[in-house]
Amino acid sequence: METGDPLVTAGWLKQNLNAPDIRVVDATYYAPFLKAEKTGREDWAEAHIPGAVHFDIDAIKAGGTDLPHMLPDPIMFSSRVRKLGIGDGNRVIVYDNNNFCAAARVWWMLRVMGHDDVKVLDGGLAAWKAEGGELEDMPPVAVERHFTARVRSDLLKDTAQVAAASESGSHTIVDARATGRFTAEAPEPREGLPSGHIPGSVNAPSADLINPDGTLKTVSELQDLLPNHRAPTITTCGSGVTAAILALGFARLGNWDVAVYDGSWTEWASDPARPVATGAA
């Protein structure tokens, strides 16, 4: 049973960075439609927390689909993370340089694969710098470790399961996208996709969960932002990345069993036969 806070502070990491079981993972990612000047990997290569390996969600993903960065099967996942030096017995600390995108996604991926000793660095690289933490630009030498995948299917939902939840109301479906995309008052950034939302879902923009300094909001603030936080819940977004930020927020409120709809709106709205709601929830 996962308990406690899913986050660690930069001060805690600074004190524990050299512990032999700690593995630090930089998950910095910029969505292609943002047209960022650098890729997440280039950002990591310029400066990262000492010993941090880079986890690229566009490289560690399922094949055979046009959907972006879908969760890979456990064999592929195990093979890739072993090469990063992540394995059984490690305490994994994930961070990024982009407001939990995609540190929360990697946190969720590891948990789906059965590795629950994983935390997210609150405030990311900016918090580390503010704490006076050192940086390096040399890639670490990762020692391959054994990783045993034990898939937690309850943390992952597909389209059929989400459609059933939408029709029955068995789960609260919470959408992390910006409100305009949810209501269909603003376009989707992915060409060809309509905006709108899954019928019965509610909107909680992931950006609202994050303070101006890049840290996650407090428990009391999250309670006001996340609906029915102890109810069975599925989070969704554009492509399954910021949905994990909502799952992280729910975990901070004590609900560690929130599932993520991996294909999210990109998968749902790509089929014109699926129902699309517009306007406020």
Side-chain angles (χ1 to χ4, degrees):
M1 179 74 70
E2 294 167 294
T3 59
D5 195 335
L7 306 176
V8 297
T9 66
W12 181 94
L13 181 58
K14 195 174 180 182
Q15 291 178 354
N16 292 274
L17 184 63
N18 295 321
D21 60 338
I22 290 286
R23 295 292 179 272
V24 182
V25 176
D26 185 318
T28 303
Y29 167 79
Y30 302 103
F33 59 76
L34 295 176
K35 298 180 180 178
E37 295 181 357
K38 296 178 288 187
T39 65
R41 186 170 186 83
E42 289 169 341
D43 199 307
W44 163 82
E46 286 185 6
H48 52 264
I49 294 173
V53 293
H54 186 251
F55 189 118
D56 185 351
I57 62 169
D58 277 342
I60 304 178
K61 65 175 184 178
T65 176
D66 293 332
L67 295 170
H69 40 250
M70 293 287 282
L71 190 73
D73 64 61
I75 295 174
M76 176 187 175
F77 187 88
S78 298
S79 173
R80 295 297 182 87
V81 299
R82 283 201 308 265
K83 290 180 171 61
L84 293 177
I86 302 169
D88 301 344
N90 284 151
R91 287 185 288 168
V92 181
I93 310 299
V94 190
Y95 76 92
D96 61 45
N97 196 25
N98 187 28
N99 289 333
F100 296 98
C101 183
R105 169 79 185 187
V106 174
W107 166 83
W108 170 78
M109 291 174 74
L110 284 163
R111 293 175 58 242
V112 172
M113 293 296 171
H115 193 95
D116 58 10
D117 200 350
V118 53
K119 304 275 189 178
V120 177
L121 174 61
D122 197 15
L125 190 63
W128 177 258
K129 291 177 181 178
E131 189 67 26
E134 295 181 0
L135 297 172
E136 65 180 17
D137 58 8
M138 293 296 292
V141 178
V143 178
E144 187 167 333
R145 291 179 59 91
H146 181 72
F147 184 96
T148 305
R150 302 178 181 88
V151 178
R152 284 193 59 185
S153 57
D154 61 306
L155 297 179
L156 172 69
K157 298 297 182 186
D158 61 22
T159 302
Q161 292 169 315
V162 173
S166 171
E167 293 172 6
S168 69
S170 62
H171 292 68
T172 303
I173 302 173
V174 190
D175 193 318
R177 291 174 300 149
T179 299
R181 293 166 62 186
F182 180 88
T183 61
E185 295 171 305
E188 280 296 305
R190 292 175 176 82
E191 186 176 351
L193 279 185
S195 51
H197 58 270
I198 298 167
S201 60
V202 296
N203 188 215
S206 61
D208 291 353
L209 276 61
I210 302 169
N211 293 310
D213 66 355
T215 57
L216 201 66
K217 291 195 171 175
T218 64
V219 168
S220 60
E221 291 171 321
L222 291 172
Q223 286 173 339
D224 294 332
L225 293 169
L226 296 174
N228 305 322
H229 61 269
R230 296 204 177 277
T233 300
I234 301 168
T235 62
T236 182
C237 60
S239 63
V241 177
T242 58
I245 299 176
L246 296 188
L248 184 68
F250 276 108
R252 191 165 221 189
L253 294 178
N255 187 349
W256 290 81
D257 298 324
V258 169
V260 170
Y261 175 23
D262 200 17
S264 281
W265 189 248
T266 301
E267 182 174 26
W268 184 274
S270 65
D271 185 348
R274 295 192 188 104
V276 172
T278 59

